[in-house]
């Protein structure tokens, strides 16, 4: 079919303007990049006109491993071009420390992207909001009302009851199948961890139970997972803004559809809170109302919008950020941990012996036991080292010129810290690709994951460090301890579990984790009242 001449002319004009703008931008960057403060950062070879290195990201290899291979060639600090945007790639602990301590304020903001605009309520969502007074205000509320020691203690009963309920349900499933010839029950553990974390986080944030089997449950789960994938996608118009009208790949259409689905789910819970009588008094009386009720109560006390955002937008965007941050990443870490344990039965056996020593075999693991389970903690650290939940940190953007490692970094440069590459640095870690929890009991005993030791920063560091570190660690320890204490796990085949990673913002195991499960404690332990 012949195309209209007007259409051809329009495309040619736009393409010409893009080329002209790109060349002008290249010249401007060249004039400003060497500002006398340091030498120019090495740039990876293979850049194409206009698109830069975008073509390299189009392959099947996950981006953190691709960029890790590039770091082997170009060093621990180099740049790539994603369309019109220069991106600083940092791949060792020394360079990461300079970016997230010395230059922490400079790199504290986030770049503008289509996902942050459409899925992030026009940049109101906490994790992708620009650095400034709005972000600081929301962060303060989250830390005080949800992540402080007192708040976590108040919400602890939710985590404990949901874990006990899920374990009891799994035991009942095993008992129903106890007459099978295999004497073990097949359970898809990746899905099981995902459901459990969804139950915990939804109840903590929204004050409701997410009933499995309810209408639209699958759609909600798929929408939540799709948000993670879309935030981690390489969207062409993010690299070359002039292409947005073409919607190459259909990203904008998919994002708008997903945003509507997520907003409808959260808006339903918000309207439910608004309709409850005596809201303000009840919100302060019971944590069963959830963080949404507390946040709504605080914001309703204000007489004006919060830095241009309405109360509804702030509440929904903040709660969505917490929902996403607390489910996919945590369940992924649990999935990787159990996969590693099944692939390394001697480690699993050693951890079970530690549990028997400090807990016994007549009760569940309680939160007060966790401080004694040092080998379990080492397993979790080693899992986060090998499979960080977000292997590439969320992108930062510099708001001023700065110097990193003696190199000049111009204002407007995007920053990506390759956490996966840092965690596999052979100069820091002996046998970096091997699963060796014992390293955290000996040579690396003092290293923790809370952002102070840059050899291991699965939650990142600096101003933009994940505020939910303690919540995530408490949840992962309690769930994993009870699972491996309460059940035996076995791979249905004699092969090792497939450890292939999938692309996206969070590091999700590509395949399912179907295991044979059987109880290992006396029957009365599983009969608990919730």
């Amino acid at each position: 079919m012949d195309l209209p001449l007007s259409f051809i002319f329009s495309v040619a004009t736009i393409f010409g303007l893009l080329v002209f703008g790109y060349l002008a931008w290249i010249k401007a960057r060249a004039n400003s990049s060497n500002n006398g403060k340091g030498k120019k950062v090495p740039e990876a070879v293979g850049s194409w006109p206009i698109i830069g290195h975008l073509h390299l990201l189009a392959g099947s290899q996950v981006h953190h491993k691709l960029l890790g291979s590039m770091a082997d060639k170009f060093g621990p600090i180099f740049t790539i071009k994603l369309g019109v945007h220069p991106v600083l790639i940092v791949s060792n602990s020394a360079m990461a420390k300079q970016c997230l301590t010395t230059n922490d304020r400079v790199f504290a903001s986030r770049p503008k992207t289509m996902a942050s605009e459409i899925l992030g309520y026009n940049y109101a969502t906490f994790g992708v909001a620009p650095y400034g007074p709005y972000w600081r205000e929301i962060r303060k509320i989250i830390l005080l009302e949800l992540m402080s020691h007192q708040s976590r203690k108040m919400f602890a009963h939710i985590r404990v009851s949901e874990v006990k309920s899920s374990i009891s349900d799994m035991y009942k499933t095993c008992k129903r199948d106890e007459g099978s010839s295999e004497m073990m029950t097949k359970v898809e553990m990746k899905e099981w961890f995902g459901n459990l974390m969804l139950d915990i986080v939804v109840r903590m944030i929204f004050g409701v139970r997410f009933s499995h089997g309810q209408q639209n449950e699958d759609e909600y789960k798929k929408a939540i997972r799709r948000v993670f994938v879309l935030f981690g996608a390489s969207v062409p118009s993010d690299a070359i803004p002039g292409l947005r009208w073409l919607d190459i790949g259909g990203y904008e259409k998919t994002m708008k559809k997903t945003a509507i689905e997520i907003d409808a789910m959260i808006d339903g819970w918000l309207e439910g809170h608004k309709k409850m009588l005596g809201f303000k008094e009840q919100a302060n009386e019971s944590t069963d109302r959830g963080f949404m009720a507390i946040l709504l109560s605080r914001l309703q006390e204000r007489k004006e919008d919060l830095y241009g955002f309405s109360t509804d937008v702030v509440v929904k965007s903040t709660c969505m950020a917490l929902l996403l941050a607390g489910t996919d990443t945590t369940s992924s870490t649990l999935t990787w941990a159990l996969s590693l344990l099944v692939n390394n039965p001697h480690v699993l056996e050693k951890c079970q012996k530690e549990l028997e020593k400090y807990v016994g075999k007549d009760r569940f693991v309680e939160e007060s036991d966790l401080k004694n389970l040092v080998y379990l903690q080492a397993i979790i650290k080693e899992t986060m080292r090998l499979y960080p939940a977000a292997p590439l940190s969320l992108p930062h953007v510099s708001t001023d010129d700065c110097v990193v490692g003696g190199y000049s970094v111009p204002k407007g440069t995007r920053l990506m810290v390759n956490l996966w590459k840092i965690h596999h640095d052979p100069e820091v870690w002996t046998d970096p690709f091997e699963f060796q929890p014992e390293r955290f009991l000996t040579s690396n005993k003092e290293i923790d994951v809370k952002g102070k030791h840059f050899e291991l920063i699965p939650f990142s560091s600096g101003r933009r460090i994940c505020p939910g570190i303690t919540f995530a660690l408490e949840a992962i320890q309690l769930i994993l301890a009870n699972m491996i204490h309460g059940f035996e796990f076995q791979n249905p085949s004699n092969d090792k579990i497939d450890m292939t990673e999938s692309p996206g913002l969070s590091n999700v195991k590509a395949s399912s984790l179907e295991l044979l499960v059987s109880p290992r404690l006396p029957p009365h332990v599983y009969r608990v009242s919730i």
Side-chain angles (χ1 to χ4, degrees):
M1 182 177 66
D2 293 334
L3 294 173
L5 289 176
S6 59
F7 176 80
I8 296 173
F9 178 77
S10 298
V11 171
T13 301
I14 291 171
F15 183 77
L17 290 172
L18 286 173
V19 172
F20 177 80
Y22 179 78
L23 294 175
W25 175 84
I26 288 292
K27 183 177 180 180
R29 299 299 294 185
N31 291 335
S32 64
S33 61
N34 193 1
N35 55 18
K37 294 182 181 180
K39 52 190 176 181
K40 186 178 180 181
V41 183
E43 181 182 318
V45 299
S47 176
W48 289 2
I50 301 178
I51 68 171
H53 295 87
L54 273 177
H55 62 288
L56 299 179
L57 303 180
S60 59
Q61 189 175 21
V62 289
H63 292 171
H64 55 275
K65 290 186 177 180
L66 171 64
L67 294 173
S69 297
M70 294 174 70
D72 292 335
K73 297 179 182 178
F74 307 114
I77 178 171
F78 64 95
T79 61
I80 60 174
K81 293 175 183 174
L82 298 183
V84 301
H85 304 295
V87 183
L88 184 70
I89 308 297
V90 167
S91 305
N92 75 2
S93 57
M95 294 298 101
K97 185 175 183 179
Q98 286 195 35
C99 291
L100 302 177
T101 56
T102 306
N103 296 298
D104 186 24
R105 183 195 61 78
V106 175
F107 284 114
S109 201
R110 300 289 192 203
K112 291 188 175 183
T113 66
M114 184 189 293
S116 299
E117 175 192 330
I118 298 175
L119 296 169
Y121 288 87
N122 199 26
Y123 306 99
T125 298
F126 171 74
V128 297
Y131 180 70
Y134 169 77
W135 176 83
R136 288 193 293 268
E137 179 75 12
I138 298 301
R139 181 177 183 272
K140 185 192 306 180
I141 294 173
I142 292 173
L143 291 175
L144 178 64
E145 303 291 357
L146 189 62
M147 300 303 176
S148 67
H149 175 73
Q150 181 179 359
S151 298
R152 294 197 319 276
K153 189 175 180 180
M154 290 173 60
F155 283 108
H157 71 282
I158 294 175
R159 178 170 57 246
V160 171
S161 66
E162 292 296 339
V163 170
K164 287 184 177 180
S165 176
S166 293
I167 290 176
S168 180
D169 288 344
M170 182 176 287
Y171 174 77
K172 293 174 183 176
T173 300
C174 292
K175 292 300 290 180
R176 283 198 298 270
D177 291 351
E178 66 180 354
S180 68
S181 59
E182 293 179 324
M183 300 302 292
M184 300 185 83
T185 303
K186 282 187 179 181
V187 179
E188 211 293 87
M189 293 304 303
K190 179 179 170 182
E191 180 180 1
W192 191 88
F193 285 134
N195 287 338
L196 175 54
M197 286 311 306
L198 192 63
D199 290 339
I200 293 172
V201 175
V202 165
R203 193 172 161 196
M204 286 181 63
I205 303 302
F206 304 103
V208 298
R209 288 183 176 274
F210 196 92
S211 301
H212 299 294
Q214 73 181 55
Q215 188 178 9
N216 296 329
E217 178 193 359
D218 287 341
E219 286 78 5
Y220 287 158
K221 288 180 184 177
K222 290 177 182 177
I224 292 170
R225 178 64 195 137
R226 199 156 56 242
V227 170
F228 268 99
V229 173
L230 290 170
F231 265 112
S234 298
V235 180
S237 62
D238 284 343
I240 307 172
L243 298 179
R244 180 163 178 172
W245 66 281
L246 292 172
D247 193 19
I248 298 173
Y251 288 103
E252 184 164 7
K253 179 180 179 181
T254 303
M255 286 181 187
K256 287 180 177 179
K257 179 176 182 293
T258 303
I260 291 172
E261 293 172 356
I262 289 287
D263 182 75
M265 176 178 70
I266 297 176
D267 190 66
W269 288 325
L270 176 59
E271 291 303 315
H273 281 301
K274 286 181 175 181
K275 292 177 181 178
M276 291 182 181
L277 297 176
F279 165 76
K280 290 185 179 181
E281 291 76 14
Q282 292 180 35
N284 294 323
E285 288 175 2
S286 173
T287 56
D288 287 335
R289 294 295 307 280
F291 174 76
M292 173 178 270
I294 297 171
L295 178 59
L296 184 58
S297 179
R298 281 195 60 165
L299 295 179
Q300 283 185 336
E301 296 171 358
R302 302 176 65 98
K303 297 183 183 298
E304 70 282 342
D305 290 346
L306 188 63
Y307 300 99
F309 294 112
S310 68
T311 296
D312 281 9
V313 165
V314 174
V315 172
K316 289 192 289 187
S317 65
T318 303
C319 290
M320 184 194 74
L322 294 171
L323 170 66
L324 298 175
T327 53
D328 212 48
T329 54
T330 309
S331 61
S332 294
T333 299
L334 288 163
T335 302
W336 288 122
L338 186 57
S339 300
L340 287 165
L341 289 171
V342 174
N343 277 346
N344 297 270
H346 64 286
V347 178
L348 177 58
E349 182 181 0
K350 186 174 179 179
C351 188
Q352 288 174 332
K353 287 181 178 179
E354 180 184 60
L355 286 160
E356 290 171 11
K357 177 181 178 181
Y358 290 104
V359 180
K361 300 189 72 172
D362 289 316
R363 63 179 176 88
F364 285 126
V365 181
E366 298 175 359
E367 295 201 326
S368 59
D369 297 313
L370 298 178
K371 63 182 182 297
N372 298 320
L373 305 177
V374 294
Y375 193 59
L376 174 77
Q377 294 168 17
I379 289 170
I380 293 170
K381 284 184 182 179
E382 182 72 339
T383 301
M384 291 181 169
R385 185 188 71 80
L386 288 170
Y387 298 94
L392 291 174
S393 67
L394 279 174
H396 302 242
V397 63
S398 61
T399 54
D400 205 348
D401 296 339
C402 65
V403 176
V404 179
Y407 294 103
S408 175
V409 179
K411 176 182 178 180
T413 301
R414 299 186 177 192
L415 167 68
M416 296 182 74
V417 181
N418 193 338
L419 306 183
W420 178 87
K421 184 64 174 175
I422 292 172
H423 294 181
H424 291 77
D425 188 346
E427 295 185 6
V428 176
W429 307 100
T430 304
D431 299 320
F433 292 90
E434 298 297 319
F435 179 60
Q436 297 177 359
E438 286 78 9
R439 71 175 83 239
F440 290 106
L441 303 178
T442 54
S443 58
N444 303 114
K445 183 178 181 179
E446 302 304 319
I447 296 180
D448 65 27
V449 298
K450 296 183 178 179
K452 300 299 183 183
H453 299 94
F454 285 82
E455 304 92 336
L456 186 65
I457 49 172
F459 298 97
S460 192
S461 185
R463 282 172 169 83
R464 286 288 187 165
I465 192 171
C466 173
I469 294 177
T470 307
F471 162 77
L473 292 176
E474 289 174 346
I476 291 169
Q477 290 178 44
L478 183 67
I479 295 168
L480 189 62
N482 273 294
M483 286 309 301
I484 60 182
H485 185 51
F487 299 94
E488 298 285 1
F489 295 94
Q490 181 180 321
N491 191 359
S493 72
N494 294 324
D495 298 328
K496 290 283 188 179
I497 290 173
D498 180 13
M499 303 296 279
T500 304
E501 301 159 274
S502 60
L505 186 63
S506 59
N507 194 8
V508 176
K509 187 176 179 297
S511 58
S512 61
L513 180 60
E514 190 174 63
L515 299 175
L516 296 173
V517 182
S518 63
R520 65 184 300 270
L521 299 178
H524 72 270
V525 177
Y526 302 92
R527 299 191 185 102
V528 295
S529 57
I530 306 302

PDB file of all heavy atoms in Angstrom, residues 37-39 41 77 88 90 94-100 102-103 107 402-409 415:
ATOM      1  N   LYS A  37      37.744  19.824  35.927  1.00  0.00           N
ATOM      2  CA  LYS A  37      37.719  19.178  37.235  1.00  0.00           C
ATOM      3  C   LYS A  37      38.265  17.762  37.182  1.00  0.00           C
ATOM      4  O   LYS A  37      38.558  17.176  38.212  1.00  0.00           O
ATOM      5  CB  LYS A  37      36.280  19.151  37.755  1.00  0.00           C
ATOM      6  CG  LYS A  37      35.712  20.525  38.063  1.00  0.00           C
ATOM      7  CD  LYS A  37      34.299  20.403  38.628  1.00  0.00           C
ATOM      8  CE  LYS A  37      33.708  21.777  38.931  1.00  0.00           C
ATOM      9  NZ  LYS A  37      32.334  21.671  39.485  1.00  0.00           N
ATOM     10  N   GLY A  38      38.368  17.188  36.021  1.00  0.00           N
ATOM     11  CA  GLY A  38      38.855  15.816  35.911  1.00  0.00           C
ATOM     12  C   GLY A  38      38.892  15.393  34.468  1.00  0.00           C
ATOM     13  O   GLY A  38      38.466  16.117  33.562  1.00  0.00           O
ATOM     14  N   LYS A  39      39.372  14.189  34.242  1.00  0.00           N
ATOM     15  CA  LYS A  39      39.441  13.672  32.879  1.00  0.00           C
ATOM     16  C   LYS A  39      38.096  13.100  32.460  1.00  0.00           C
ATOM     17  O   LYS A  39      37.214  12.842  33.295  1.00  0.00           O
ATOM     18  CB  LYS A  39      40.537  12.616  32.777  1.00  0.00           C
ATOM     19  CG  LYS A  39      40.440  11.525  33.814  1.00  0.00           C
ATOM     20  CD  LYS A  39      41.688  10.666  33.810  1.00  0.00           C
ATOM     21  CE  LYS A  39      41.613   9.626  34.944  1.00  0.00           C
ATOM     22  NZ  LYS A  39      42.821   8.779  34.987  1.00  0.00           N
ATOM     23  N   VAL A  41      35.328  10.495  31.341  1.00  0.00           N
ATOM     24  CA  VAL A  41      35.043   9.097  31.658  1.00  0.00           C
ATOM     25  C   VAL A  41      35.163   8.256  30.387  1.00  0.00           C
ATOM     26  O   VAL A  41      34.646   8.651  29.334  1.00  0.00           O
ATOM     27  CB  VAL A  41      33.630   8.940  32.248  1.00  0.00           C
ATOM     28  CG1 VAL A  41      33.366   7.481  32.647  1.00  0.00           C
ATOM     29  CG2 VAL A  41      33.433   9.851  33.450  1.00  0.00           C
ATOM     30  N   ILE A  77      34.397   1.949  35.919  1.00  0.00           N
ATOM     31  CA  ILE A  77      33.600   3.148  35.683  1.00  0.00           C
ATOM     32  C   ILE A  77      33.713   3.500  34.201  1.00  0.00           C
ATOM     33  O   ILE A  77      34.806   3.689  33.667  1.00  0.00           O
ATOM     34  CB  ILE A  77      34.052   4.321  36.586  1.00  0.00           C
ATOM     35  CG1 ILE A  77      33.240   5.587  36.280  1.00  0.00           C
ATOM     36  CG2 ILE A  77      35.547   4.555  36.493  1.00  0.00           C
ATOM     37  CD1 ILE A  77      33.476   6.719  37.277  1.00  0.00           C
ATOM     38  N   LEU A  88      26.330   6.733  33.334  1.00  0.00           N
ATOM     39  CA  LEU A  88      27.537   6.319  34.035  1.00  0.00           C
ATOM     40  C   LEU A  88      27.287   4.941  34.649  1.00  0.00           C
ATOM     41  O   LEU A  88      26.355   4.769  35.442  1.00  0.00           O
ATOM     42  CB  LEU A  88      27.887   7.331  35.126  1.00  0.00           C
ATOM     43  CG  LEU A  88      29.182   7.105  35.901  1.00  0.00           C
ATOM     44  CD1 LEU A  88      30.389   7.360  35.010  1.00  0.00           C
ATOM     45  CD2 LEU A  88      29.232   8.012  37.136  1.00  0.00           C
ATOM     46  N   VAL A  90      28.732   2.098  37.053  1.00  0.00           N
ATOM     47  CA  VAL A  90      29.687   1.902  38.138  1.00  0.00           C
ATOM     48  C   VAL A  90      29.623   0.443  38.570  1.00  0.00           C
ATOM     49  O   VAL A  90      28.536  -0.082  38.836  1.00  0.00           O
ATOM     50  CB  VAL A  90      29.374   2.846  39.310  1.00  0.00           C
ATOM     51  CG1 VAL A  90      30.129   2.441  40.550  1.00  0.00           C
ATOM     52  CG2 VAL A  90      29.712   4.286  38.939  1.00  0.00           C
ATOM     53  N   ALA A  94      34.430   0.714  45.365  1.00  0.00           N
ATOM     54  CA  ALA A  94      35.072   2.012  45.575  1.00  0.00           C
ATOM     55  C   ALA A  94      34.350   3.114  44.802  1.00  0.00           C
ATOM     56  O   ALA A  94      34.093   4.204  45.343  1.00  0.00           O
ATOM     57  CB  ALA A  94      36.542   1.935  45.159  1.00  0.00           C
ATOM     58  N   MET A  95      34.024   2.846  43.533  1.00  0.00           N
ATOM     59  CA  MET A  95      33.321   3.847  42.725  1.00  0.00           C
ATOM     60  C   MET A  95      31.894   4.059  43.244  1.00  0.00           C
ATOM     61  O   MET A  95      31.385   5.179  43.266  1.00  0.00           O
ATOM     62  CB  MET A  95      33.292   3.413  41.259  1.00  0.00           C
ATOM     63  CG  MET A  95      34.652   3.358  40.575  1.00  0.00           C
ATOM     64  SD  MET A  95      35.509   4.938  40.483  1.00  0.00           S
ATOM     65  CE  MET A  95      36.693   4.752  41.834  1.00  0.00           C
ATOM     66  N   ALA A  96      31.249   2.966  43.666  1.00  0.00           N
ATOM     67  CA  ALA A  96      29.888   3.093  44.216  1.00  0.00           C
ATOM     68  C   ALA A  96      29.896   3.952  45.475  1.00  0.00           C
ATOM     69  O   ALA A  96      29.001   4.787  45.679  1.00  0.00           O
ATOM     70  CB  ALA A  96      29.330   1.708  44.515  1.00  0.00           C
ATOM     71  N   LYS A  97      30.902   3.778  46.305  1.00  0.00           N
ATOM     72  CA  LYS A  97      30.990   4.562  47.541  1.00  0.00           C
ATOM     73  C   LYS A  97      31.139   6.046  47.238  1.00  0.00           C
ATOM     74  O   LYS A  97      30.520   6.892  47.895  1.00  0.00           O
ATOM     75  CB  LYS A  97      32.161   4.063  48.385  1.00  0.00           C
ATOM     76  CG  LYS A  97      32.251   4.735  49.750  1.00  0.00           C
ATOM     77  CD  LYS A  97      33.356   4.101  50.594  1.00  0.00           C
ATOM     78  CE  LYS A  97      33.391   4.747  51.985  1.00  0.00           C
ATOM     79  NZ  LYS A  97      34.445   4.139  52.836  1.00  0.00           N
ATOM     80  N   GLN A  98      31.947   6.376  46.234  1.00  0.00           N
ATOM     81  CA  GLN A  98      32.111   7.787  45.879  1.00  0.00           C
ATOM     82  C   GLN A  98      30.798   8.391  45.379  1.00  0.00           C
ATOM     83  O   GLN A  98      30.465   9.534  45.685  1.00  0.00           O
ATOM     84  CB  GLN A  98      33.200   7.944  44.816  1.00  0.00           C
ATOM     85  CG  GLN A  98      34.611   7.770  45.335  1.00  0.00           C
ATOM     86  CD  GLN A  98      35.646   8.282  44.357  1.00  0.00           C
ATOM     87  OE1 GLN A  98      35.433   9.272  43.651  1.00  0.00           O
ATOM     88  NE2 GLN A  98      36.779   7.614  44.313  1.00  0.00           N
ATOM     89  N   CYS A  99      30.058   7.605  44.594  1.00  0.00           N
ATOM     90  CA  CYS A  99      28.783   8.112  44.059  1.00  0.00           C
ATOM     91  C   CYS A  99      27.744   8.301  45.149  1.00  0.00           C
ATOM     92  O   CYS A  99      26.978   9.275  45.138  1.00  0.00           O
ATOM     93  CB  CYS A  99      28.255   7.161  42.993  1.00  0.00           C
ATOM     94  SG  CYS A  99      29.215   7.118  41.465  1.00  0.00           S
ATOM     95  N   LEU A 100      27.705   7.359  46.114  1.00  0.00           N
ATOM     96  CA  LEU A 100      26.610   7.322  47.082  1.00  0.00           C
ATOM     97  C   LEU A 100      26.982   7.879  48.452  1.00  0.00           C
ATOM     98  O   LEU A 100      26.174   7.828  49.379  1.00  0.00           O
ATOM     99  CB  LEU A 100      26.110   5.882  47.212  1.00  0.00           C
ATOM    100  CG  LEU A 100      25.618   5.252  45.902  1.00  0.00           C
ATOM    101  CD1 LEU A 100      25.211   3.798  46.110  1.00  0.00           C
ATOM    102  CD2 LEU A 100      24.471   6.044  45.295  1.00  0.00           C
ATOM    103  N   THR A 102      30.270  10.605  48.869  1.00  0.00           N
ATOM    104  CA  THR A 102      30.847  11.909  48.509  1.00  0.00           C
ATOM    105  C   THR A 102      29.905  12.707  47.619  1.00  0.00           C
ATOM    106  O   THR A 102      29.715  13.920  47.818  1.00  0.00           O
ATOM    107  CB  THR A 102      32.190  11.707  47.783  1.00  0.00           C
ATOM    108  OG1 THR A 102      33.051  10.893  48.589  1.00  0.00           O
ATOM    109  CG2 THR A 102      32.859  13.045  47.507  1.00  0.00           C
ATOM    110  N   ASN A 103      29.316  12.057  46.633  1.00  0.00           N
ATOM    111  CA  ASN A 103      28.420  12.728  45.688  1.00  0.00           C
ATOM    112  C   ASN A 103      26.963  12.323  45.891  1.00  0.00           C
ATOM    113  O   ASN A 103      26.163  12.364  44.941  1.00  0.00           O
ATOM    114  CB  ASN A 103      28.854  12.403  44.252  1.00  0.00           C
ATOM    115  CG  ASN A 103      30.233  12.942  43.923  1.00  0.00           C
ATOM    116  OD1 ASN A 103      30.450  14.148  43.951  1.00  0.00           O
ATOM    117  ND2 ASN A 103      31.167  12.055  43.629  1.00  0.00           N
ATOM    118  N   PHE A 107      23.707  12.890  43.220  1.00  0.00           N
ATOM    119  CA  PHE A 107      23.043  11.766  42.549  1.00  0.00           C
ATOM    120  C   PHE A 107      21.748  11.347  43.251  1.00  0.00           C
ATOM    121  O   PHE A 107      21.259  10.234  43.033  1.00  0.00           O
ATOM    122  CB  PHE A 107      23.983  10.562  42.481  1.00  0.00           C
ATOM    123  CG  PHE A 107      25.061  10.677  41.444  1.00  0.00           C
ATOM    124  CD1 PHE A 107      26.392  10.764  41.820  1.00  0.00           C
ATOM    125  CD2 PHE A 107      24.742  10.700  40.096  1.00  0.00           C
ATOM    126  CE1 PHE A 107      27.396  10.857  40.861  1.00  0.00           C
ATOM    127  CE2 PHE A 107      25.742  10.797  39.126  1.00  0.00           C
ATOM    128  CZ  PHE A 107      27.069  10.879  39.508  1.00  0.00           C
ATOM    129  N   CYS A 402      30.138  16.856  38.860  1.00  0.00           N
ATOM    130  CA  CYS A 402      30.867  16.267  39.982  1.00  0.00           C
ATOM    131  C   CYS A 402      32.049  15.468  39.448  1.00  0.00           C
ATOM    132  O   CYS A 402      32.238  15.343  38.237  1.00  0.00           O
ATOM    133  CB  CYS A 402      29.956  15.385  40.834  1.00  0.00           C
ATOM    134  SG  CYS A 402      29.323  13.911  39.975  1.00  0.00           S
ATOM    135  N   VAL A 403      32.846  14.934  40.367  1.00  0.00           N
ATOM    136  CA  VAL A 403      34.005  14.125  40.012  1.00  0.00           C
ATOM    137  C   VAL A 403      33.889  12.781  40.711  1.00  0.00           C
ATOM    138  O   VAL A 403      33.655  12.716  41.924  1.00  0.00           O
ATOM    139  CB  VAL A 403      35.320  14.821  40.417  1.00  0.00           C
ATOM    140  CG1 VAL A 403      36.516  13.910  40.136  1.00  0.00           C
ATOM    141  CG2 VAL A 403      35.472  16.138  39.681  1.00  0.00           C
ATOM    142  N   VAL A 404      34.041  11.706  39.943  1.00  0.00           N
ATOM    143  CA  VAL A 404      34.000  10.348  40.484  1.00  0.00           C
ATOM    144  C   VAL A 404      35.255   9.611  40.013  1.00  0.00           C
ATOM    145  O   VAL A 404      35.477   9.477  38.808  1.00  0.00           O
ATOM    146  CB  VAL A 404      32.744   9.577  40.022  1.00  0.00           C
ATOM    147  CG1 VAL A 404      32.751   8.160  40.598  1.00  0.00           C
ATOM    148  CG2 VAL A 404      31.470  10.307  40.435  1.00  0.00           C
ATOM    149  N   GLY A 405      36.073   9.168  40.952  1.00  0.00           N
ATOM    150  CA  GLY A 405      37.280   8.424  40.602  1.00  0.00           C
ATOM    151  C   GLY A 405      38.245   9.213  39.747  1.00  0.00           C
ATOM    152  O   GLY A 405      38.979   8.630  38.949  1.00  0.00           O
ATOM    153  N   GLY A 406      38.243  10.539  39.923  1.00  0.00           N
ATOM    154  CA  GLY A 406      39.115  11.391  39.116  1.00  0.00           C
ATOM    155  C   GLY A 406      38.541  11.751  37.763  1.00  0.00           C
ATOM    156  O   GLY A 406      39.173  12.479  36.991  1.00  0.00           O
ATOM    157  N   TYR A 407      37.333  11.273  37.466  1.00  0.00           N
ATOM    158  CA  TYR A 407      36.698  11.549  36.180  1.00  0.00           C
ATOM    159  C   TYR A 407      35.623  12.624  36.346  1.00  0.00           C
ATOM    160  O   TYR A 407      34.891  12.657  37.343  1.00  0.00           O
ATOM    161  CB  TYR A 407      36.063  10.289  35.612  1.00  0.00           C
ATOM    162  CG  TYR A 407      37.050   9.210  35.243  1.00  0.00           C
ATOM    163  CD1 TYR A 407      37.236   8.106  36.065  1.00  0.00           C
ATOM    164  CD2 TYR A 407      37.794   9.302  34.072  1.00  0.00           C
ATOM    165  CE1 TYR A 407      38.138   7.103  35.728  1.00  0.00           C
ATOM    166  CE2 TYR A 407      38.705   8.308  33.722  1.00  0.00           C
ATOM    167  CZ  TYR A 407      38.869   7.210  34.553  1.00  0.00           C
ATOM    168  OH  TYR A 407      39.769   6.232  34.221  1.00  0.00           O
ATOM    169  N   SER A 408      35.510  13.465  35.341  1.00  0.00           N
ATOM    170  CA  SER A 408      34.506  14.522  35.342  1.00  0.00           C
ATOM    171  C   SER A 408      33.170  13.971  34.877  1.00  0.00           C
ATOM    172  O   SER A 408      33.078  13.360  33.810  1.00  0.00           O
ATOM    173  CB  SER A 408      34.952  15.657  34.415  1.00  0.00           C
ATOM    174  OG  SER A 408      33.950  16.645  34.313  1.00  0.00           O
ATOM    175  N   VAL A 409      32.134  14.184  35.693  1.00  0.00           N
ATOM    176  CA  VAL A 409      30.788  13.718  35.361  1.00  0.00           C
ATOM    177  C   VAL A 409      29.884  14.939  35.239  1.00  0.00           C
ATOM    178  O   VAL A 409      29.611  15.621  36.233  1.00  0.00           O
ATOM    179  CB  VAL A 409      30.237  12.757  36.431  1.00  0.00           C
ATOM    180  CG1 VAL A 409      28.825  12.307  36.075  1.00  0.00           C
ATOM    181  CG2 VAL A 409      31.155  11.557  36.601  1.00  0.00           C
ATOM    182  N   LEU A 415      23.034   7.635  36.351  1.00  0.00           N
ATOM    183  CA  LEU A 415      23.925   6.713  37.059  1.00  0.00           C
ATOM    184  C   LEU A 415      23.218   5.378  37.268  1.00  0.00           C
ATOM    185  O   LEU A 415      22.080   5.326  37.738  1.00  0.00           O
ATOM    186  CB  LEU A 415      24.336   7.287  38.420  1.00  0.00           C
ATOM    187  CG  LEU A 415      25.001   6.323  39.409  1.00  0.00           C
ATOM    188  CD1 LEU A 415      26.385   5.906  38.910  1.00  0.00           C
ATOM    189  CD2 LEU A 415      25.093   6.947  40.805  1.00  0.00           C
TER     190      LEU A 415
END
